[in-house]
Amino acid sequence: MFGTRGHGGIFTFNRNDGYFEALVRGYRAGILTQADYANLIQCDALEDMKLHLAQTDYGDFLANEPSPLHTTTIAEKCLERLVNEFVHIRNQAVEPLATFLDYITYGYMIDNVVLLITGTLHDRDVTELIEKCHPLGFFKSMATLSAVHSVAELYNTVLIDTPLAPYIQNCLLEEELDEMNIEVIRNTLYKAYLEDFYNYCKELGGETEMIMSDILQFEADRRAINITINSFGTELTKDDRELLYPNFGVLYPEGTSKLAKTDDIDQVKEILNAYVAYRDIISDTSAEKSLEDAFFEYEVKLNKMAFQTQFGYGVFYSYIKLREQEIRNIVWIAECISQQMKSKVNQFIPIF
Amino acid sequence: MSGKNRIPIFPTRMALTTMKSKLKGAVTGHSLLKKKSDALTIRFRAILSKILQNKQLMGATMREASFSLAAAKYAAGEIAHTVYENTTTATMRCRLANENVAGVHLPTFERNERIKDEGASNPQELTGLAKGGQQINKSREQYVKAIESLIELASLQTAFITLDEVIRTTNRRVNAIEYVVKPRIENTISYIIAELDEGDREEFYRLKKVQGKKKRDLAAKEAEKAQKKELEGVLNPGSSRHQPAQQRTILEEGEEDNLVLFS
């Protein structure tokens, strides 16, 4: 794969990537602030939200929508805007930034591929599924999907051409695709992806490695914890569960081997008490704030830190993640307003 | 007279007995139907109040369910498409059962979950394994509750409609008996009784008349006899003998002739 040499440091980074870093920092300045959220919370209808959003960096992105506005429309349009910004950068980027940005998209590509496999398994029309795919995860061989009618064909003609091919080849055999639970497939692929991304960041070195390793380690640990907790009482065996834990992170290898043996959530909490950061996260949860919320908050914190240094690629990754959190926040507020549940509206995570 | 709405039938005593037993039958039927109608109405009112309660509960449950879906989407992202594509058959089904209330068959719906029995596990249970799984499970539970309350509501509403129908028919029958059948029978009975009475009266009158005639005849005969006796008394004053000499016999007439012959 490309980009085995690290990117430039203080002296040479700006030559290739300075423009893009500046661009991203400009975008970052447009992320909604507490004041914006305060305005949004006070809206009584989605039309008011549209008005308030028009005064932020979002501008008239909802201008052409027909009158009864739906939360799904808002979500789509926000995502579209994010995708446009990303594609703008990606189209102009050179190596190794280009590969880094591609890595960011592989996560979404995995979701899309899983959706396609599911659709093919159940004999649905695969071309319809293309509309439901995440736009950041499009890959070139999507155009050939109409010729695919079985999982074997999907595997051989489409999946092999994607950048995900190495992950698929290493972890999954063609026959297994039919039998394995789709979520297990998804998580196996994601584990391979995370490990690969982590190694790539290590190769890049410099500020990128510093920032991204923290973020990716947290992601790996978070997935391990979530998989453990969510697999209690399901048909996922402990061995299978252990296979899904990524092989890096603060919890690896002791924490993960302990987690693989647990049976309930109290044991999990005990294990996590040994790790300071996670102990704090768990003690932060309450009836109002679930574990997921605490994880989101910690993730936002880590991502914000990426902008404190320069000459690293972490800003690109963090910008995408922060924007996603913002979209989640906006959609949450919109749902609370439209479902008349304003008492719960404050459960989003403010970013800046 | 009141229109004479009665059953056309020949007024005999047997007809009267038949009509009387019919009336008894109508009265019993009427009271039974009334009881049925009352029982059904009580049940109807109970169902009505339950429906009201249930609808409110359902409104609240559905609201919570949609909200839990929003929370699940917040935590796990856009899961909808994967979930749709992954569905094969229904995990939650509904079964129709029959309930009998005062002779009325009411359909009821029951929840029928067939997961654990056939070892068919729910393939969707691992959705959101790495992210948002708990919120998804919570949402799933909320929606299951919502479906249960919907099933209950459906049972109640079908029962409501069926009962309404049946109560209407029963009431119609009750009213029919009370305002149509019974009056007709009663009118018929009174007509028959009237006819019979009239016949009786006629009979009586005839008898009286015959009696009177007989009396008159008797009286007339007496009078004639008395008259004849008077007449006799005038013609034969000396004869105190009561000889009924009016009629001489041929023998006596023959004696007179003998006197003439032998002199």
Side-chain angles (χ1 to χ4, degrees):
Chain A
M1 236 181 285
F2 249 117
T4 46
R5 55 177 226 294
H7 60 74
I10 297 184
F11 298 114
T12 45
F13 183 86
N14 280 341
R15 194 176 54 188
N16 284 334
D17 308 318
Y19 169 64
F20 304 113
E21 187 180 340
L23 211 51
V24 156
R25 285 191 187 267
Y27 289 150
R28 166 238 182 277
I31 292 185
L32 298 183
T33 61
Q34 292 265 31
D36 293 319
Y37 284 126
N39 275 341
L40 286 176
I41 296 179
Q42 288 172 1
C43 295
D44 284 321
L46 294 184
E47 317 297 354
D48 294 340
M49 271 188 86
K50 178 171 154 185
L51 233 51
H52 279 119
L53 283 177
Q55 292 166 358
T56 65
D57 248 24
Y58 276 99
D60 291 334
F61 76 123
L62 286 174
N64 294 330
E65 295 306 314
S67 174
L69 205 52
H70 292 292
T71 53
T72 42
T73 327
I74 298 183
E76 270 170 31
K77 287 288 167 189
C78 288
L79 187 60
E80 199 181 304
R81 193 160 170 278
L82 174 62
V83 170
N84 286 340
E85 288 172 353
F86 180 81
V87 164
H88 179 71
I89 298 183
R90 175 67 189 83
N91 284 338
Q92 302 176 56
V94 292
E95 294 302 336
L97 180 58
T99 317
F100 185 85
L101 291 176
D102 283 338
Y103 264 101
I104 299 182
T105 65
Y106 293 167
Y108 305 105
M109 220 182 272
I110 291 180
D111 286 336
N112 290 348
V113 157
V114 163
L115 185 62
L116 293 173
I117 294 178
T118 319
T120 321
L121 268 179
H122 293 113
D123 294 319
R124 309 248 203 266
D125 187 4
V126 189
T127 38
E128 285 177 3
L129 293 179
I130 296 186
E131 292 160 12
K132 304 189 187 173
C133 286
H134 195 287
L136 279 179
F138 280 154
F139 47 92
K140 293 210 189 60
S141 33
M142 269 189 172
T144 62
L145 272 174
S146 49
V148 163
H149 294 292
S150 74
V151 183
E153 275 180 37
L154 185 69
Y155 191 86
N156 286 326
T157 56
V158 178
L159 295 183
I160 296 298
D161 286 336
T162 65
L164 300 180
Y167 308 144
I168 301 179
Q169 277 168 332
N170 285 342
C171 324
L172 296 176
L173 302 173
E174 191 179 320
E175 307 80 48
E176 284 181 4
L177 278 181
D178 288 341
E179 294 165 6
M180 281 169 84
N181 188 313
I182 202 76
E183 289 297 321
V184 176
I185 296 179
R186 185 204 302 273
N187 284 303
T188 317
L189 289 176
Y190 208 87
K191 164 190 146 102
Y193 156 64
L194 273 184
E195 286 166 3
D196 199 23
F197 197 4
Y198 185 69
N199 290 332
Y200 181 69
C201 291
K202 272 214 158 82
E203 282 170 14
L204 284 179
E207 290 295 327
T208 311
E209 183 192 347
M210 208 174 74
I211 300 288
M212 289 306 294
S213 63
D214 278 341
I215 296 181
L216 289 178
Q217 280 183 352
F218 171 67
E219 188 63 30
D221 294 331
R222 173 198 195 171
R223 287 188 83 89
I225 298 175
N226 273 335
I227 290 177
T228 315
I229 295 182
N230 290 332
S231 61
F232 291 146
T234 67
E235 59 174 11
L236 193 64
T237 65
K238 293 194 179 151
D239 296 329
D240 284 340
R241 190 203 296 172
E242 192 164 4
L243 288 176
L244 296 176
Y245 298 151
N247 61 7
F248 63 100
V250 175
L251 290 178
Y252 180 82
E254 296 169 12
T256 49
S257 60
K258 281 195 218 153
L259 278 178
K261 300 191 183 67
T262 57
D263 277 316
D264 66 61
I265 192 162
D266 293 317
Q267 288 179 0
V268 171
K269 290 194 178 163
E270 257 182 66
I271 296 174
L272 291 178
N273 263 333
Y275 303 92
V276 179
Y278 301 130
R279 187 176 64 211
D280 291 337
I281 292 182
I282 291 203
S283 60
D284 202 14
T285 60
S286 62
E288 290 297 315
K289 196 174 187 182
S290 68
L291 192 58
E292 287 289 351
D293 289 331
F295 279 146
F296 276 132
E297 201 174 324
Y298 192 72
E299 186 188 3
V300 165
K301 206 168 76 172
L302 284 180
N303 281 320
K304 270 160 60 172
M305 288 206 300
F307 287 96
Q308 309 286 20
T309 67
Q310 264 191 296
F311 312 126
Y313 289 158
V315 290
F316 297 98
Y317 181 88
S318 298
Y319 172 68
I320 304 275
K321 290 297 165 189
L322 286 177
R323 268 287 184 211
E324 276 190 348
Q325 179 64 35
E326 179 180 283
I327 296 180
R328 272 198 287 268
N329 288 344
I330 295 179
V331 170
W332 175 259
I333 296 178
E335 290 275 358
C336 283
I337 291 180
S338 68
Q339 291 188 23
Q340 318 276 341
M341 287 276 224
K342 295 200 80 170
S343 55
K344 307 272 175 104
V345 81
N346 281 315
Q347 283 178 8
F348 64 93
I349 304 199
I351 302 177
F352 287 122
Chain B
M1 280 294 183
S2 65
K4 267 312 162 182
N5 134 39
R6 62 162 195 264
I7 307 172
I9 184 179
F10 204 68
T12 63
R13 273 184 219 287
M14 192 165 94
L16 182 63
T17 351
T18 339
M19 280 296 124
K20 279 205 174 138
S21 63
K22 271 211 181 124
L23 182 65
K24 189 143 165 294
V27 166
T28 332
H30 178 262
S31 75
L32 284 177
L33 276 178
K34 197 99 180 63
K35 282 204 195 108
K36 174 175 174 178
S37 168
D38 288 340
L40 290 177
T41 313
I42 292 179
R43 180 79 183 223
F44 188 72
R45 296 242 172 85
I47 290 187
L48 185 59
S49 70
K50 260 212 257 173
I51 285 186
L52 200 57
Q53 246 180 4
N54 235 315
K55 276 199 172 161
Q56 285 172 335
L57 190 61
M58 183 201 77
T61 321
M62 297 239 46
R63 205 158 155 243
E64 275 198 36
S66 337
F67 194 68
S68 72
L69 182 63
K73 272 203 258 183
Y74 177 82
E78 192 57 56
I79 40 161
H81 301 307
T82 336
V83 169
Y84 286 160
E85 298 305 325
N86 231 342
T87 48
T88 46
T89 55
T91 36
M92 187 120 127
R93 297 175 182 208
C94 191
R95 193 177 34 177
L96 193 59
N98 227 329
E99 209 190 311
N100 196 332
V101 173
V104 181
H105 282 283
L106 296 178
T108 45
F109 297 107
E110 280 162 17
R111 181 177 150 200
N112 183 11
E113 238 181 303
R114 59 189 243 317
I115 26 163
K116 309 287 182 198
D117 338 313
E118 299 152 21
S121 64
N122 187 357
Q124 305 261 31
E125 65 183 352
L126 288 180
T127 313
L129 185 58
K131 206 168 174 197
Q134 292 177 311
Q135 275 79 354
I136 292 181
N137 275 334
K138 215 164 75 156
S139 186
R140 185 181 290 138
E141 283 168 16
Q142 291 279 22
Y143 268 104
V144 163
K145 266 202 242 158
I147 292 188
E148 281 177 355
S149 99
L150 276 178
I151 292 181
E152 233 183 275
L153 195 59
S155 299
L156 285 176
Q157 280 192 314
T158 34
F160 186 82
I161 294 176
T162 325
L163 266 186
D164 189 41
E165 197 59 48
V166 173
I167 287 183
R168 255 184 243 277
T169 24
T170 316
N171 280 342
R172 238 179 261 140
R173 289 192 192 135
V174 167
N175 289 340
I177 295 188
E178 199 176 316
Y179 294 112
V180 174
V181 173
K182 260 178 37 182
R184 283 185 83 194
I185 299 187
E186 280 163 359
N187 284 343
T188 319
I189 289 185
S190 50
Y191 160 71
I192 298 182
I193 292 185
E195 289 295 307
L196 288 179
D197 279 348
E198 197 176 317
D200 272 346
R201 272 197 298 269
E202 284 173 5
E203 191 67 28
F204 189 67
Y205 184 69
R206 194 170 59 79
L207 280 177
K208 278 285 185 217
K209 273 284 185 221
V210 165
Q211 234 181 33
K213 175 131 192 336
K214 278 217 175 112
K215 256 205 198 131
R216 269 203 320 274
D217 281 349
L218 198 57
K221 247 202 196 147
E222 293 287 309
E224 228 189 280
K225 234 189 2 196
Q227 225 183 31
K228 260 259 167 90
K229 235 184 90 222
E230 252 188 59
L231 216 53
E232 251 224 6
V234 163
L235 289 176
N236 305 332
S239 120
S240 50
R241 279 187 293 167
H242 248 310
Q243 293 231 78
Q246 305 281 32
Q247 278 180 345
R248 288 186 299 163
T249 58
I250 299 177
L251 290 173
E252 291 175 315
E253 279 181 14
E255 272 184 4
E256 277 186 282
D257 282 331
N258 285 342
L259 284 173
V260 168
L261 288 172
F262 294 117
S263 61

